[in-house]
Amino acid sequence: MAPHQEALSEIALQTRESPVFLCHSQSSQLSDMTEEAGMFRVHHTIGSVLCCKCGIPMTPNAANMCVKCLRTEVDITEGLQKHATLVHCPECDRYFRPPKTWIEPQLESKELLTLCLKTLKNLNQVRLIHAEFIWTEPHSKRIKVKLRVQKEVLNGAILEQAYIVEYVQQEHMCESCSRVQANPDQWVASVQVRQHVPHRRTLFYLEQLILMHDAARCAKKIKPMNQGIDFFFANWSHGKKFVEFIGKMVPIKSHRPSQQLVSHDPKSNNYYYKYTLSVEICPICREDLICLPREVASGLGNPHSLVICTKVTNRITFLDPYTLKHHCLDAEQYWRSPFKALLSSRQLVEYIVLDVGIVYSEVHVGGSKYALADAQVARLSDFGKNDTIFNITTHLGHLLNPGDHALGYDMFATNSNDMELEKYRDFDLPPAILIRKTYEENCQGKGGKPPPLMSREYEEFLRRLEDNPELTLNISLHENKEYPPPSVRDGEEDSACGALEKLLANVDLSDDEDGDDAMAE
């Protein structure tokens, strides 16, 4: 007997003796051996039956009917909701989600599709396979959703069918918008932001951060006040969320909120209050000269008594101008032992640099460059009138050259009554502390004549943005083509004058390009 015939006899014998059916591998092995032996093989065919309604051949199923006849007999979408209503607020562009929530989904988004499906009744009677939006005109106040469902019908047969649900957008103002329409001055929560300093630079910067992150989109009213801004909200949670946002941007101290009873409904025992949240911003600003209290200095590693504030975010960063070391103080540590600035930016004096000698090479501290140097400077107001020259140590050695101008604090002529400074009278205080190099002489023609309504403080804030590109990382900038170009002295191009132009080199929001983009779309 041939070897393959012996193998077939073995498999047949095992099959007769074993009550288990052949597995797929054994069946394929048997078919391969049959083909090699040249034996006749019966091909498996799928039988067909005639539909009991129309009589066409079809694959057998539990109902013995073709798909067309089965759909005429059974409609699995019968009893399902094909028309529904969505409540929409035209003022805040939000949709109502029962029982009492208003959400703000985008058109054809997952959130809006979820809201549409949850409004349908009896959808649990079928199995949902797929759902998608069908495009409609935006002004038609109609939203169409195409659903594909499955359901078990006659004798266990599963039928799949698609149908369209049409939603009518019903306009109805939410409670907060209704209050505003009835009385625009009506509010529930007020956030009072204050900073007790003689300038508004921090508030200008905070304003740009709010615009960048759209944090005040729920505010019903914004009112500028003395040394601060008031924000009015129609909901207590919106005001609380806004306070949390400010706390992530700048170091603040949030006082205990106060409440005032507006009305009381004795039948339902409901009370309506107005809440006021008071937020105080840290009075320390960038470029301020600070005399650290002894308890604060000991917690920071005992730096020099006089430090410079270089950055203010949710924490304050100080620079020791004599050791080039950075020290950070968060909001909780500051308000535990609060202190004020010894001198602010309004008290800066212009100096002219006579000589510079580098002590230490350039180093990177906190993402900025510094170089310790010994310099001889003289007040610009005294230059040519007397021979008063100051020998100082500065952290701007990498920027200063003989003949440059710099702004600094005049410790020689300053009469300060700071109690913390009195404790350091035994130490030799420097006659001057330089803060930054000034480019006013090179950029004096930049910007031309300022607008009449723009204050000097805002002009100073914009100038600081141009000189410090780091401050523009969290601010939305736009280039104005009609703005007059800067005038450069004798063809000399200065880095600070062109910093903003380099930053906006690829930004162009002119009307012509906007029109071209619209046509391209």
Side-chain angles (χ1 to χ4, degrees), residues 165-176:
V165 181
E166 183 178 2
Y167 297 86
V168 179
Q169 189 170 297
Q170 180 181 355
E171 303 295 343
H172 180 76
M173 284 193 297
C174 59
E175 183 179 358
S176 58

Side-chain angles (χ1 to χ4, degrees), residues 120-188:
L120 298 179
K121 299 178 180 179
N122 301 328
L123 193 60
N124 56 355
Q125 297 179 358
V126 295
R127 180 185 178 188
L128 181 62
I129 301 300
H130 181 68
E132 62 180 355
F133 285 99
I134 297 179
W135 186 86
T136 55
E137 292 288 345
H139 60 273
S140 63
K141 305 296 181 182
R142 297 291 188 274
I143 297 177
K144 293 184 178 180
V145 180
K146 183 179 180 181
L147 303 179
R148 185 173 295 276
V149 296
Q150 286 183 353
K151 186 178 180 181
E152 185 177 345
V153 291
L154 302 175
N155 299 325
I158 297 177
L159 183 63
E160 181 175 333
Q161 189 174 347
Y163 71 104
I164 297 176
V165 181
E166 183 178 2
Y167 297 86
V168 179
Q169 189 170 297
Q170 180 181 355
E171 303 295 343
H172 180 76
M173 284 193 297
C174 59
E175 183 179 358
S176 58
C177 294
S178 300
R179 291 180 180 178
V180 175
Q181 290 293 330
N183 184 7
D185 295 330
Q186 189 174 7
W187 49 271
V188 175

Side-chain angles (χ1 to χ4, degrees), residues 396 399-401 404-407 435-439 467 494:
L396 303 177
L399 296 176
L400 298 180
N401 294 307
D404 289 343
H405 291 241
L407 294 177
I435 301 300
R436 68 171 183 268
K437 181 181 178 180
T438 178
Y439 303 91
D467 294 345
D494 204 283

Side-chain angles (χ1 to χ4, degrees), residues 429-445:
L429 297 178
I433 298 178
L434 300 184
I435 301 300
R436 68 171 183 268
K437 181 181 178 180
T438 178
Y439 303 91
E440 295 297 328
E441 185 179 4
N442 295 341
C443 302
Q444 58 185 354

Side-chain angles (χ1 to χ4, degrees), residues 175 179 186-188 259-275:
E175 183 179 358
R179 291 180 180 178
Q186 189 174 7
W187 49 271
V188 175
Q259 58 184 14
Q260 178 184 1
L261 180 64
V262 178
S263 61
H264 168 51
D265 187 1
K267 294 183 178 179
S268 59
N269 198 24
N270 291 331
Y271 294 83
Y272 299 95
Y273 293 95
K274 279 188 175 181
Y275 301 91

